[in-house]
Amino acid sequence: MEDRKYMLQALDLAEKGLGRTSPNPMVGAVLVKDGRVVGRGYHQRAGEPHAEVNAIDDAGEHARGATLYVTLEPCNHFGRTPPCTRKILDAGIRRVVVAMDDPNPGVQGGGVRYLQDQGIDVTTGVCEKSARTLNEAFITWVTTGRPFVIVKCAATLDGRIATRTGDSRWVTGPASRQFVHRLRHAVDAIMVGVKTVIKDDPSLTTRMDGQPGADPTRIILDTRLSIPLTSKLLRLKSHAPTWMVCGVNAAAERRAALENAGARVVTAPLKGRRIDLSALMRQLGEMGITSLLIEGGATVIGSAFAADIVHKVCFFYAPKILGGDDGAPICRGAGPEHMRESIAVHDLSVFRFDADVMLQGYLKPL
């Protein structure tokens, strides 16, 4: 019970790194001595000291003889920073409690074994499920080489994301939209189809009330590079780039015009007349994208499910009914013939955002 209490504090610290540590995981650490917390730390940004180092530095001499609670197995290898295991030994820590092993196949278990070999008492698996959920994107990317993919949509109770005229502002309320901006802050990239850009002219930036947010890389599926050069996406003052994903036959002059406008053009394989999303996920993973939020439109969402690339869904429903069959559905494209062929959603959770309801669930196990 005591271990769980302090590990929950370490998990809260880890979450402070949300949106800032990629491609590294979020990690928190707490040092406890004689029933009192003497040091706290979390990994604040990729390339900067790890959580254990920050907690030990925070504790100073009080670290000697203390117990370290850390949400991820301490590293035992040289990366952009030295091994945390050496720091732990030098600090004189007597016990280490770990939430989860490092999922990286090349180093998994190495940190725990090294500490045990040096005589440190190590306990693992405390609050493991919470730790894995916190770093679901990192786990997916480091084990598969592909990004963790979330599909988000906002719909009426009768399943429409827009009216027959294309009007979708706003389906859900301000509280729901603020949560979506938190999602954008948390992921590496956001993806929409070019039809959404032409219709809505979105910015796809992060706007969080009362605190700064990180803009995700903006990825636009545009097979023939038909995006208007006047689109907001090409005129933003944002540190995050805009990537245009096209097929091999996209016109060279359009490619040059978009590159001159500051966009990066990425060529991807086609499947029929559309981007092969499964192949694109491999490309994005190789390009360092660990997490991807798909926001639409209906054709892109339908294609994402058909390509079996989705790990998690966040479906928002507003207490509204359009009452017709001519609005835009959540998904476009052919579905299965039989109900038994539908996509199963697991670990479903329900959240309220004022009058709206969000259903969150998983399509693939971690």
Side-chain angles (χ1 to χ4, degrees):
M1 203 62 166
E2 187 97 330
D3 285 350
R4 178 177 170 81
K5 168 187 168 183
Y6 292 120
M7 188 61 76
L8 289 174
Q9 292 183 33
L11 286 165
D12 286 343
L13 284 168
E15 196 170 2
K16 290 179 178 289
L18 186 74
R20 296 183 174 89
T21 63
S22 182
N24 290 354
M26 291 173 278
V27 185
V30 172
L31 272 167
V32 178
K33 187 174 183 180
D34 299 327
R36 184 172 66 90
V37 174
V38 295
R40 298 177 177 86
Y42 68 98
H43 184 42
Q44 299 182 20
R45 198 173 299 275
E48 295 185 4
H50 289 184
E52 303 96 311
V53 173
N54 288 329
I56 292 169
D57 288 347
D58 185 45
E61 285 301 314
H62 296 293
R64 189 161 300 277
T67 297
L68 171 67
Y69 293 85
V70 62
T71 59
L72 182 71
E73 176 184 2
C75 65
N76 190 42
H77 58 279
F78 283 89
R80 283 192 273 185
T81 58
C84 291
T85 51
R86 309 309 199 273
K87 181 83 171 181
I88 291 168
L89 290 175
D90 292 344
I93 290 168
R94 67 172 181 83
R95 180 175 179 240
V96 176
V97 182
V98 178
M100 62 172 283
D101 291 344
D102 191 325
N104 190 330
V107 302
Q108 188 175 44
V112 167
R113 285 193 298 271
Y114 178 81
L115 291 173
Q116 289 173 330
D117 288 345
Q118 301 304 311
I120 303 293
D121 178 13
V122 181
T123 301
T124 61
V126 177
C127 299
E128 181 177 2
K129 184 176 181 180
S130 297
R132 292 182 67 84
T133 299
L134 181 69
N135 279 308
E136 56 196 11
F138 173 75
I139 294 170
T140 299
W141 179 70
V142 83
T143 56
T144 70
R146 293 165 170 253
F148 182 82
V149 178
I150 307 167
V151 165
K152 165 264 167 184
C153 74
T156 59
L157 292 180
D158 49 350
R160 301 293 165 171
I161 61 174
T163 68
R164 65 175 179 272
T165 65
D167 180 34
S168 60
R169 295 193 178 182
W170 294 103
V171 177
T172 52
S176 295
R177 298 199 296 274
Q178 265 303 296
F179 183 81
V180 172
H181 282 284
R182 181 172 170 82
L183 280 177
R184 291 182 180 183
H185 169 73
V187 298
D188 289 345
I190 182 172
M191 188 170 80
V192 300
V194 69
K195 290 181 180 178
T196 295
V197 175
I198 293 171
K199 178 174 67 71
D200 296 338
D201 196 19
S203 297
L204 302 181
T205 53
T206 300
R207 301 177 295 280
M208 298 199 300
D209 287 346
Q211 56 182 310
D215 289 343
T217 294
R218 295 168 290 276
I219 299 175
I220 314 303
L221 301 180
D222 189 359
T223 308
R224 295 182 297 276
L225 297 180
S226 58
I227 185 174
L229 294 177
T230 55
S231 298
K232 285 180 186 175
L233 292 169
L234 303 175
R235 298 181 286 111
L236 291 172
K237 292 181 180 178
S238 171
H239 294 296
T242 296
W243 295 357
M244 306 300 304
V245 180
C246 67
V248 293
N249 296 322
E253 61 270 19
R254 288 294 297 173
R255 180 188 297 265
L258 286 166
E259 289 174 342
N260 287 337
R264 177 177 182 177
V265 179
V266 177
T267 303
L270 297 180
K271 194 170 186 178
R273 293 183 296 173
R274 294 186 179 136
I275 302 296
D276 183 336
L277 292 182
S278 183
L280 178 61
M281 292 307 106
R282 286 195 297 272
Q283 282 183 259
L284 295 181
E286 291 169 358
M287 297 166 78
I289 299 297
T290 70
S291 53
L292 174 69
L293 177 64
I294 298 178
E295 286 205 18
T299 300
V300 172
I301 292 176
S303 297
F305 286 126
D308 191 28
I309 64 169
V310 182
H311 297 86
K312 182 178 181 178
V313 292
C314 293
F315 278 23
F316 292 83
Y317 288 95
K320 301 173 183 178
I321 298 171
L322 289 184
D325 63 357
D326 52 357
I330 294 172
C331 299
R332 288 194 192 279
E337 292 185 5
H338 305 287
M339 189 60 68
R340 65 176 178 269
E341 300 169 311
S342 60
I343 301 167
V345 180
H346 308 281
D347 297 320
L348 193 68
S349 300
V350 182
F351 301 87
R352 286 288 300 268
F353 295 95
D354 293 339
D356 303 327
V357 174
M358 183 186 77
L359 301 182
Q360 176 182 283
Y362 292 83
L363 278 59
K364 300 176 186 293
L366 280 179

